[in-house]
Amino acid sequence: MTHVLPALALLFVLNGTFAQAATLPATNDSASREVPPAPEEGGPRNWRVATLTGSLNLRASPSTTATILARYAPNTLLDNLGCLAAEGRAWCDVQALGGGPRGYVAAEFLQPARAPHGAISRGPDDSAQRAGNGDFDATGRLRCHRAGAPGDWCAFGVARSGGGYATVVVETLDGRSQGIYFRMGRAIGTATSQVYHPEFRAEREGDTTVIYLDNDRYEIPDAIVLGG
């Protein structure tokens, strides 16, 4: 029979001081130490910060005494880089979606993040590898434009792995093949090299992500990234 233990006060640092974050029931000690799976083990690709109030500490190691590297607001999206047990609780190795410091957060303040279509994306993302091998789910042409010149159409190929994860390879206006990475439907960066590293910027216009590589503009509709 499962017995509900007295409420457990969960503490985290709020603006430099300790504050009560939530009061949660627990069934036993092993439940609090249950380690969530990594994407390679069928776990979610991303977490959503689910603290009830305040911010969640990102720490340099899985310990409440470790250095605080950053603080995450509720609903911040994080990459799931694997979890482990330490100090009687589960900790997850994370990084903010799109980049930032990498560290550990207490797993009890995380929930699986839902992708743009509403489902939880699980398993590893193989879109970049498939795109590199030319294994595309769709090909076509998209609108592109260079400042001071007429609009044009540029060829593309897209490899998708579900949940808004995709790698779009565009034939740029100067004839290069340029990979653009999407996670959770968001453009997060490009493939770069020592000889070519354009300034990257992404903006939203309706149902289209507009990518700027230096002064060149590429329009990528959501249908390319999400399919359908």
Side-chain angles (χ1 to χ4, degrees), residues 80-114:
N80 176 9
L81 304 175
C83 303
L84 53 81
E87 296 186 343
R89 72 200 312 180
W91 294 84
C92 290
D93 183 1
V94 300
Q95 185 177 36
L97 182 68
R102 178 174 174 175
Y104 292 86
V105 297
E108 63 258 38
F109 297 112
L110 302 176
Q111 291 182 352
R114 294 191 176 276

Side-chain angles (χ1 to χ4, degrees), residues 72 119 121 151-152 165 174 197:
Y72 295 132
S121 297
D152 205 344
Y165 275 69
D174 54 9
H197 42 85

Side-chain angles (χ1 to χ4, degrees), residues 75-188:
N75 297 315
T76 299
L77 296 177
L78 308 173
D79 289 332
N80 176 9
L81 304 175
C83 303
L84 53 81
E87 296 186 343
R89 72 200 312 180
W91 294 84
C92 290
D93 183 1
V94 300
Q95 185 177 36
L97 182 68
R102 178 174 174 175
Y104 292 86
V105 297
E108 63 258 38
F109 297 112
L110 302 176
Q111 291 182 352
R114 294 191 176 276
H117 65 296
I120 296 171
S121 297
R122 300 181 183 276
D125 171 26
D126 64 352
S127 65
Q129 179 179 356
R130 290 179 50 229
N133 293 332
D135 180 14
F136 296 120
D137 294 296
T139 59
R141 297 168 70 82
L142 53 78
R143 293 289 298 175
C144 51
H145 177 78
R146 173 162 288 171
D152 205 344
W153 292 90
C154 293
F156 78 87
V158 57
R160 309 184 187 104
S161 64
Y165 275 69
T167 299
V168 179
V169 178
V170 177
E171 183 178 331
T172 65
L173 289 162
D174 54 9
R176 302 174 186 270
S177 291
Q178 179 64 59
I180 302 170
Y181 302 127
F182 286 80
R183 292 182 180 174
M184 300 283 286
R186 302 181 184 181
I188 63 164

Side-chain angles (χ1 to χ4, degrees), residues 10-21 49-74 76 78 89-96 101-110:
L10 301 173
L11 300 180
F12 66 105
V13 175
L14 175 61
N15 295 329
T17 60
F18 281 96
Q20 282 196 336
V49 175
T51 55
L52 300 181
T53 183
S55 57
L56 176 63
N57 291 330
L58 176 74
R59 295 186 179 273
S61 61
S63 170
T64 55
T65 61
T67 301
I68 297 174
L69 304 177
R71 291 187 173 92
Y72 295 132
T76 299
L78 308 173
R89 72 200 312 180
W91 294 84
C92 290
D93 183 1
V94 300
Q95 185 177 36
R102 178 174 174 175
Y104 292 86
V105 297
E108 63 258 38
F109 297 112
L110 302 176

